[in-house]
Amino acid sequence: MVGSGGREHALCWAIAKSPRCADLSCAPGNAGIAGLARCVDIGAGDVDGVVGFAAENGIDFVVVGPEVPLVAGLVDRLDDAGILAFGPSARAAELEGSKGFMKDLCARYGVPTGSYGRFTDVDAAKAYIRDKGAPIVVKADGLAAGKGVILCRTGGEAEAAVDKIMTGRAFGSAGDEVVVEEMLEGEEASFFALVDGRRAVPLVAAQDHKAAFDGDRGPNTGGMGAYTPAPVVTGDMAKTIMERIITPTIEGMAAEGRPYKGVLYAGVMIGEDGPRVLEFNVRFGDPECQPMVMRLKSDFLDALVACAEGRLDPAMLEWHDDAALVVVMAAKGYPGAYEKGTEIRGLEKADAAEGVVVFHAGTRADGGRILANGGRVLGVTARAATVADAQKRAYEAVDRIDWPDGFCRRDIGWRALGR
Ligand code: AMP
Ligand code: GLY
């Protein structure tokens, strides 16, 4: 496993259950992953380090969690070394690595998304904004750790966003180009499919909460909680998303000589005229992955290996009918400045609650103590019959955790419960 977040802990948890998993290592992992895998001190972005470790240790299969090593070509390098890996090649990972590439691909293959322009010139971007009017969205083309999207209510805000990205270089070279895009309205959902190069099998859909504070207020974060199923993604809607979005995208990628393998994560906006893509990601969602794996009934490792080997079969994925929900606990101050090294107590009591797993994100062990070591620190995840029951269980477990330096939202799941 490559990565160190809550997503990677959840993936390790699911993979370690497989009878085919004889031995599991994680680069670099965290204090929670250390209970399931041998953690090795190699950064997730250290492509040479990961390839070297895998070759020297006779690793049979590598699962890549985050987007940065995928875009940097880790799977290509493992492939060259004859090591099977789950995740797209660098050329396929462009779907997340370049928003301009993604928009052009959608345009070429008729995948519904907002109208847009691509610009490498500040004045041309501003002229487009004046022509289209607000509200409008300005995005850095490249990877910006989830911060490169600026939703603008006025033309002035949008022109300032162009300056911030292109002139101020707020996201470095990720802002050499911008995409200026129509603001879409509706309800957002996270849709996931496993793809083996040709076939796509949908997974369960989820919804996340990006804002830091209750009532979806405050700055955007990597995600403060999530749940599955997503009531807005009915069975019919899932079919529509597969037909209009996922299938033409993977056919388009194959036609362009960039066959897609791995998990394809479509952020979709479901509005009056159906679903439209906001973004593609080439990895599992974090924190969506945490509740998703808790609903899995079948052997996840089998499905991931089959996907990498190009022989995925829908029968390999079976799910529990119930719901799951994750509450993220973050260090006070996140997504701004926060302290590291504060002690967290009560984790065993929370983990012992029925139907609950506490996935670690930014944690590190110090002797017998668990210390916070990042912004998003824990993902307290519960499975139960309904989203309401899962929410109750998750917050009961949260209340067993003694971490005065952390905070969480108290309303994860409100949209599903409001229906
Ligand atoms: P991204 O970094 O591409 O995941 O975008 C972050 C978030 O910005 C998305 O999850 C949406 O909530 C929002 N967003 C992105 N593009 C649009 C758009 N065209 N219209 C409305 N919201 C958007
Ligand atoms: N939860 C949003 C993401 O993983 O991008």
Side-chain angles (χ1 to χ4, degrees), residues 35-79:
L36 297 166
R38 172 162 62 122
C39 292
V40 293
D41 190 15
I42 300 169
D46 178 0
V47 171
D48 288 335
V50 172
V51 175
F53 175 84
E56 282 158 27
N57 291 274
I59 302 292
D60 295 310
F61 184 52
V62 179
V63 177
V64 185
E67 64 277 15
V68 168
L70 292 168
V71 171
L74 176 56
V75 169
D76 310 71
R77 289 279 310 280
L78 289 165
D79 198 40

Side-chain angles (χ1 to χ4, degrees), residues 274-296:
R276 290 200 276 174
V277 197
L278 294 169
E279 49 157 347
F280 279 121
N281 296 312
V282 297
R283 50 172 174 83
F284 285 98
D286 189 344
E288 292 97 320
C289 186
Q290 288 83 313
M292 286 170 69
V293 295
M294 283 190 73
R295 290 185 58 205
L296 199 61

